[in-house]
Amino acid sequence: MARVKRQGPAQRRRELAPGERAALMGEEYPDPAEQFFLTDMQLQAAWDFSGPALTAEWVGANPGSRPPGWWRFEAPQLAVDAGMEAPNWRPSAAPEPSEQRSILARLGALTETEGE
């Protein structure tokens, strides 16, 4: 009998819930209570599924910076790969916008259009 490969939560997703998007993009929550019920696991799965699209959307409007979800889920590993100390960036502790471009350059994370 052939085994059916089960898809994980990130693979089954079709679109982000409004609260997930708010958390990953630093937007106001549509339902303020929702922020207390989203787990790190849920947000990680949401980022795994939609991170590239959210980052592209963000960079299109804010070149030289990244959304809070990127700092939370992408930057720590890039820092380790670049030989930097792994920070524990959270949305509320992401670098100031004025500092982001230089950090992104050190991480090698600026896109060609951002002028690396």
Side-chain angles (χ1 to χ4, degrees):
M1 180 174 191
R3 293 183 67 179
V4 175
K5 183 177 177 185
R6 293 184 185 260
Q7 294 181 329
Q11 294 167 320
R12 287 192 295 257
R13 290 182 175 275
R14 294 287 187 245
E15 64 183 57
L16 288 175
E20 292 171 331
R21 179 183 168 85
L24 297 172
M25 295 292 275
E27 298 170 347
E28 188 173 321
Y29 283 86
D31 175 1
E34 189 173 6
Q35 66 186 310
F36 301 107
F37 297 103
L38 290 171
T39 66
D40 283 345
M41 186 180 288
Q42 286 173 303
L43 292 175
Q44 177 71 62
W47 184 260
D48 290 345
F49 176 75
S50 60
L54 293 175
T55 300
E57 177 185 335
W58 182 280
V59 171
N62 307 285
S65 66
R66 296 294 181 272
W70 188 92
W71 292 104
R72 184 172 182 175
F73 297 113
E74 301 289 333
Q77 186 58 50
L78 286 176
V80 170
D81 293 346
M84 298 167 62
E85 185 176 326
N88 186 16
W89 281 310
R90 293 288 186 216
S92 61
E96 291 295 321
S98 61
E99 301 171 346
Q100 289 190 22
R101 182 178 289 277
S102 64
I103 295 170
L104 291 168
R106 287 196 326 248
L107 293 174
L110 288 172
T111 65
E112 220 175 86
T113 58
E114 291 176 295
E116 200 166 31

